[in-house]
């Protein structure tokens, strides 16, 4: 009888990591530990602005689908130059389009069995900016710090003109059309 119990206990312990793989997890954004950064180039200088997201969530489903949603207020982006920030708010029409929002998904993502673990992921989704919705692919590195804490870092490029944003200018020279967005996000399991 003791051998049967030991065999059953061993089978259960060996099966636990596999069972954990099939468990869905919902992660809440840790706003204070997260940033969204944009980078713009002008022949005279580079511009970098950063904001804290106002909302976000990630859902890792049992089938390996990862869904992510992040929202930031456009007015919150700070480039450490108040005049430049005010001008950016004017060209992005912040009163009319107050937020920038990303919703995306990736497949084949599995919760690792040991921590920490890095997983490369490409999120395919939609960026809603300045009232224009465009499909984007966002390559990110997901760092599973533990079974309950996750961080992501990535970088992707968009065109200001594709989002119908008049490119700001300095000394009658416009900034480049290319805008680099760099999300650095931290999440924790909800109800932890």
């Amino acid at each position: 009888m003791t051998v049967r119990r030991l065999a059953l206990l061993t089978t259960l312990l060996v099966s636990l990591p596999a069972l954990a793989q099939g468990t869905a997890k919902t992660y809440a954004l840790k706003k204070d530990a997260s940033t969204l950064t944009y980078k713009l180039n002008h022949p005279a200088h580079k511009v970098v602005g950063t904001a804290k997201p106002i909302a976000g969530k990630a859902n890792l489903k049992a089938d390996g689908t990862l869904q992510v949603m992040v929202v930031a207020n456009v007015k919150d982006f700070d480039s450490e130059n108040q005049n430049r920030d005010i001008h950016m708010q004017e060209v992005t029409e912040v009163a009319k389009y107050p937020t920038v929002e990303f919703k995306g998904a990736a497949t084949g993502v599995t919760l690792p069995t040991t921590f920490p673990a890095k997983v490369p992921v490409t999120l395919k989704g939609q960026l809603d900016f300045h009232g224009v919705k465009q499909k984007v692919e966002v390559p990110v590195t997901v760092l599973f710090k533990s079974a309950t804490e996750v961080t992501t870092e990535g970088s992707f490029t968009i065109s200001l003109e594709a989002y119908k944003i008049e490119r700001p200018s300095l000394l009658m020279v416009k900034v480049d059309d290319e805008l680099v967005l760099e999300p650095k996000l931290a999440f924790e399991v909800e109800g932890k």
Side-chain angles (χ1 to χ4, degrees):
M1 195 66 144
T2 306
V3 173
R4 276 192 187 167
R5 286 184 184 160
L6 186 56
L8 179 60
L9 181 60
T10 303
T11 303
L12 284 172
L13 289 174
V14 169
S15 300
L16 282 177
L19 291 172
Q21 292 290 332
T23 304
K25 288 196 178 223
T26 300
Y27 299 86
L29 181 73
K30 293 170 71 176
K31 297 175 196 173
D32 289 340
S34 301
T35 59
L36 298 171
T37 300
Y38 76 81
K39 294 181 178 178
L40 271 174
N41 285 322
H42 183 275
H45 63 278
K46 295 182 189 255
V47 178
V48 177
T50 303
K52 298 274 186 198
I54 59 168
K57 190 170 276 206
N59 187 18
L60 181 55
K61 295 184 171 188
D63 68 0
T65 301
L66 174 64
Q67 299 172 318
V68 178
M69 182 278 304
V70 179
V71 181
N73 283 322
V74 175
K75 70 175 177 57
D76 291 345
F77 282 90
D78 180 7
S79 69
E80 298 182 358
N81 180 309
Q82 188 177 15
N83 288 334
R84 181 172 44 228
D85 293 339
I86 290 170
H87 187 58
M88 286 297 290
Q89 291 174 23
E90 289 170 0
V91 298
T92 57
E93 301 177 272
V94 74
K96 189 174 181 181
Y97 308 109
T99 62
V100 56
E101 179 177 337
F102 172 78
K103 290 181 182 178
T107 57
V109 181
T110 56
L111 186 66
T113 55
T114 60
F115 304 96
K118 286 185 179 181
V119 179
V121 173
T122 299
L123 293 165
K124 296 179 180 181
Q126 179 174 279
L127 183 69
D128 186 348
F129 182 36
H130 194 243
V132 177
K133 295 177 182 178
Q134 298 270 334
K135 290 182 180 180
V136 294
E137 287 191 12
V138 182
V140 296
T141 299
V142 179
L143 173 60
F144 289 90
K145 291 183 164 187
S146 69
T148 59
E149 288 188 75
V150 178
T151 62
T152 65
E153 288 191 19
S155 179
F156 65 106
T157 303
I158 64 169
S159 158
L160 290 173
E161 291 176 356
Y163 284 90
K164 300 183 178 163
I165 296 171
E166 181 185 327
R167 292 186 289 152
S169 60
L170 175 66
L171 302 172
M172 299 179 57
V173 178
K174 291 185 177 190
V175 298
D176 292 349
D177 181 47
E178 186 177 271
L179 178 88
V180 177
L181 291 169
E182 296 179 346
K184 291 182 181 178
L185 308 172
F187 295 91
E188 65 184 349
V189 170
E190 282 189 340
K192 180 179 119 173

